[in-house]
Amino acid sequence: MTKTMATTTAQAWKGVAWLTFLGTAGILALSIGLNYLLLFSEGLTPFGRSMVTAILLPVVLGVPLFLFIGLKQIELRRYRRELDKSATFDTMTGCLNGAVFTSMVERRTARPAAPGPGSGAFLVIHSEHLRSINLRFGLEWGDEALRLVASTIQSSVRAEDLVGRIGTSMFGVFLSGATEAEAREIGERIRARIAQVYFAPKGTEDALTVKVGGVVFENEVEFADMFRSAEQRMAGIPDGAAFELTHLHS
């Protein structure tokens, strides 16, 4: 691998060297040719020839050069935005990826922006039957189901809430400063809206369902404790129910 990287670097520098050589040779040829032609122009004085050279060469050389540099800067900025986005968001669902979501939740619980001593709620949402969808209709339809669930979650929460993908078919929602009533309302809204999503793989309508487990806390709490309690609450949801919320005591 090290040898391959060294070869790639050497090839890149070789390309730069050739570009520098050819570019410089082209500029010299253009300058010499222009000055040679101007020598035979009887309508221009020596001063006029020098002014033509002084104006024409920067225009001929500067415009394409700076246009090329500007386009490269735009391209680099686009690549940088794409890199930042891919490092922050999950590429499939558009939610925060697990690492970024965890970090942001930990910062908010350590220094809460909402009134109160770090109060809020944390929800864990598990997309049920995803494996069944993959087996019956294929992975592409499973991915589509996951995207529909993610977009529905994002449209069901408040602007200040955080939504992250924390597992293959699991999402986390952090509700900073939310009361128990607000957390329960949001959790039920998410579950109800996902159940209403139209999903018809290969023309066959199929229901999307999720289980939602959550915890409400009133003091500073670790992310691991929130996640473990919410996940346990979700795993313990009995048949016929889809949402459970409990208090987390620190």
Side-chain angles (χ1 to χ4, degrees):
M1 183 176 179
T2 304
K3 185 177 180 180
T4 303
M5 291 179 62
T7 303
T8 303
T9 303
Q11 290 175 347
W13 276 110
K14 184 178 179 180
V16 170
W18 267 109
L19 180 62
T20 303
F21 172 75
L22 294 175
T24 304
I27 292 172
L28 285 173
L30 178 63
S31 178
I32 293 171
L34 181 61
N35 280 277
Y36 179 77
L37 292 174
L38 289 175
L39 286 175
F40 297 97
S41 177
E42 298 178 356
L44 293 175
T45 63
F47 176 75
R49 294 189 189 100
S50 65
M51 288 303 295
V52 171
T53 305
I55 294 172
L56 191 59
L57 278 178
V59 171
V60 172
L61 300 176
V63 171
L65 177 62
F66 286 108
L67 179 62
F68 175 77
I69 293 174
L71 292 174
K72 285 299 179 183
Q73 287 180 335
I74 293 174
E75 188 177 1
L76 285 173
R77 283 195 291 268
R78 179 171 61 84
Y79 286 149
R80 190 176 294 113
R81 287 195 300 269
E82 291 177 355
L83 184 61
D84 291 340
K85 183 177 180 180
S86 64
T88 304
F89 297 97
D90 176 62
T91 55
M92 181 183 297
T93 63
C95 300
L96 295 169
N97 64 43
V100 173
F101 176 73
T102 302
S103 177
M104 293 182 69
V105 171
E106 288 177 341
R107 287 201 300 270
R108 289 200 181 187
T109 52
R111 295 190 300 274
S119 61
F122 182 79
L123 307 179
V124 170
I125 303 163
H126 176 61
S127 179
E128 295 186 291
H129 312 312
L130 183 63
R131 184 177 179 183
S132 173
I133 292 173
N134 288 333
L135 291 174
R136 286 183 292 143
F137 304 108
L139 294 177
E140 291 184 359
W141 282 106
D143 293 344
E144 178 63 18
L146 205 59
R147 283 189 287 266
L148 288 172
V149 169
S151 63
T152 305
I153 294 173
Q154 290 172 313
S155 65
S156 302
V157 299
R158 306 169 302 178
E160 65 272 21
D161 297 332
L162 300 177
V163 180
R165 186 183 180 188
I166 54 178
T168 302
S169 57
M170 188 179 295
F171 299 88
V173 178
F174 179 71
L175 310 171
S176 180
T179 63
E180 180 178 354
E182 290 172 331
R184 190 173 295 280
E185 178 186 356
I186 292 172
E188 291 288 1
R189 184 193 308 153
I190 291 171
R191 185 194 61 76
R193 286 185 178 180
I194 290 175
Q196 295 171 358
V197 170
Y198 178 75
F199 179 62
K202 298 182 180 180
T204 304
E205 188 171 359
D206 198 28
L208 296 177
T209 58
V210 294
K211 283 188 176 181
V212 183
V215 293
V216 178
F217 56 92
E218 297 179 354
N219 297 296
E220 183 176 333
V221 63
E222 295 291 333
F223 177 86
D225 295 333
M226 286 191 301
F227 175 72
R228 182 172 57 253
S229 299
E231 188 180 29
Q232 288 174 351
R233 199 66 181 173
M234 180 193 66
I237 294 177
D239 293 338
F243 179 58
E244 289 290 340
L245 188 69
T246 188
H247 279 270
L248 179 64
H249 302 284
S250 57

